[in-house]
Amino acid sequence: MSRELPQGLDPAAFDAFHDDPAAWRPAMDDLLRAQGWSGDWQPAGEGTVLVALLGNAQVLKLYPPFLRDHWAFEQGLMPRLHGRLSLPTPRLLASGEEQGWPWTRMSLLPGRLLEEVWAGYDEDLRERLLRRIGQLMREVHALPVGEQAQLALPWPEFLAARRAGVLARQQRTGLPAHCLAELPAYLDGPIPAGPDVLLTGEYAPMNLLVDDAGQLCGMFDFGDGLVGPAAYDWLGPLTFLGAGRPARVRALFEGLGLRTAPDPDALMRLFLLHRYSCLRIQLRDVPDWQHEADLGALARRLFGAG
């Protein structure tokens, strides 16, 4: 079997390659052997890059060439976060390039994915976790941006690109027809603004770790981060975890230290423009969201704090 990594993959071809670990195991074996790794490793199934779990202490991520910007942003952000927050984040151990594919090796954090246990938590614990997530975001957003801004597309350019493709994306991902019809006019309104901060692009249950007591104990995966207004980071926990429950929404806003609730319509516009906006996935725990009368009504349901 060839040990060469394929070249010229587009995202669809990479997804097929990613989902066939037997196809990329030989190349990963060679890469790890060159780094002196002689132990066992296992592929991690989810994610947007190739991930090898090296025992119980390390992770190696191998990025396709078209995600080089994600690799650069993550390896720049990890040292900025590690040891500077009230919970652990991965420590950057090494990075390099293999056949044009960038890679990063980092420490593996203990804990369970919040995604795996959220459904079993009561409302009190859920609200406490959302309050804690808000506090964590405040810590990250208070850090200096520095040269990390050079590793991210400038916010106005990012936003312009999102606007240019928003209708096609929302059609492709299944936004209801009555919402699609009002989308262009709706997006003409204001979106959240503010000073540039470090955006991890995460704070979603797939990237947060909890311990046996249900307390946050780690956060990882910063490749799709950006530099821009803080509200962009609010959308993950508000949709995946808030799920249109006003008490949960209030808890997150309290953790963020907000004195007044943000405009739901402004947040909804930013949500529709998000890099990974896909309402049928992000609103999976919001019953019958597709049947709200219009985007404004959906905005009030999702982001209204009651």
Side-chain angles (χ1 to χ4, degrees), residues 2-3 29 49 61 69 87 96 128 149 209 227 249 272 284:
S2 171
R3 298 180 183 275
D29 282 337
V49 302
K61 296 174 69 172
D69 59 333
L87 88 174
R128 282 191 279 123
L209 297 167
V227 172
V249 173
L272 292 164
R284 61 193 181 181

Side-chain angles (χ1 to χ4, degrees), residues 49-85:
V49 302
L50 306 184
V51 179
L53 302 179
L54 313 182
N56 60 2
Q58 296 184 23
V59 177
L60 189 141
K61 296 174 69 172
L62 184 60
Y63 301 72
F66 63 81
L67 289 181
R68 178 176 293 274
D69 59 333
H70 285 49
W71 165 77
F73 193 89
E74 181 163 49
Q75 75 158 2
L77 189 56
M78 277 194 288
R80 288 186 167 275
L81 299 184
H82 184 69
R84 291 175 169 83
L85 304 176

Side-chain angles (χ1 to χ4, degrees), residues 6 14 17 19 33 102 118 146 166 212 215 242 253 263 282 293 296 298 304:
F14 172 74
F17 184 63
D19 293 342
R33 191 176 300 113
W118 178 259
V166 64
D212 291 340
Q215 304 299 310
F253 289 165
D263 174 14
Q282 290 145 330
L298 182 57

Side-chain angles (χ1 to χ4, degrees), residues 7-230:
Q7 304 298 312
L9 294 183
D10 62 17
F14 172 74
D15 286 346
F17 184 63
H18 171 281
D19 293 342
D20 182 13
W24 49 270
R25 179 175 282 275
M28 186 68 81
D29 282 337
D30 282 355
L31 176 57
L32 291 172
R33 191 176 300 113
Q35 296 179 46
W37 180 265
S38 58
D40 293 333
W41 67 273
Q42 297 296 326
E46 299 298 325
T48 55
V49 302
L50 306 184
V51 179
L53 302 179
L54 313 182
N56 60 2
Q58 296 184 23
V59 177
L60 189 141
K61 296 174 69 172
L62 184 60
Y63 301 72
F66 63 81
L67 289 181
R68 178 176 293 274
D69 59 333
H70 285 49
W71 165 77
F73 193 89
E74 181 163 49
Q75 75 158 2
L77 189 56
M78 277 194 288
R80 288 186 167 275
L81 299 184
H82 184 69
R84 291 175 169 83
L85 304 176
S86 59
L87 88 174
T89 57
R91 180 165 62 92
L92 178 63
L93 301 174
S95 64
E97 187 173 306
E98 176 69 16
Q99 301 175 45
W101 289 53
W103 58 265
T104 300
R105 188 153 50 92
M106 65 193 72
S107 59
L108 176 63
L109 301 175
R112 296 189 65 184
L113 286 178
L114 182 57
E115 169 85 346
E116 297 174 353
V117 294
W118 178 259
Y121 289 162
D122 61 27
E123 281 300 304
D124 180 66
L125 181 51
R126 289 173 177 173
E127 290 170 22
R128 282 191 279 123
L129 278 166
L130 279 161
R131 196 171 291 110
R132 177 71 178 92
I133 292 169
Q135 294 166 351
L136 174 62
M137 280 193 273
R138 288 178 70 185
E139 294 179 35
V140 176
H141 295 163
L143 294 174
V145 172
E147 64 271 19
Q148 195 69 17
Q150 301 170 22
L151 301 175
L153 190 66
W155 181 253
E157 294 181 27
F158 171 78
L159 206 56
R162 303 310 308 156
R163 287 188 180 279
V166 64
L167 186 59
R169 179 176 183 83
Q170 295 300 342
Q171 286 175 325
R172 186 173 67 252
T173 57
L175 189 69
H178 70 287
C179 294
L180 279 171
E182 66 167 315
L183 186 62
Y186 185 77
L187 288 176
D188 279 345
I191 64 169
D196 282 348
V197 300
L198 294 171
L199 305 171
T200 73
E202 302 302 343
Y203 305 99
M206 297 74 74
N207 305 100
L208 294 169
L209 297 167
V210 291
D211 60 23
D212 291 340
Q215 304 299 310
L216 282 188
C217 65
M219 175 174 67
F220 64 97
D221 193 2
F222 313 124
D224 54 358
L226 293 162
V227 172

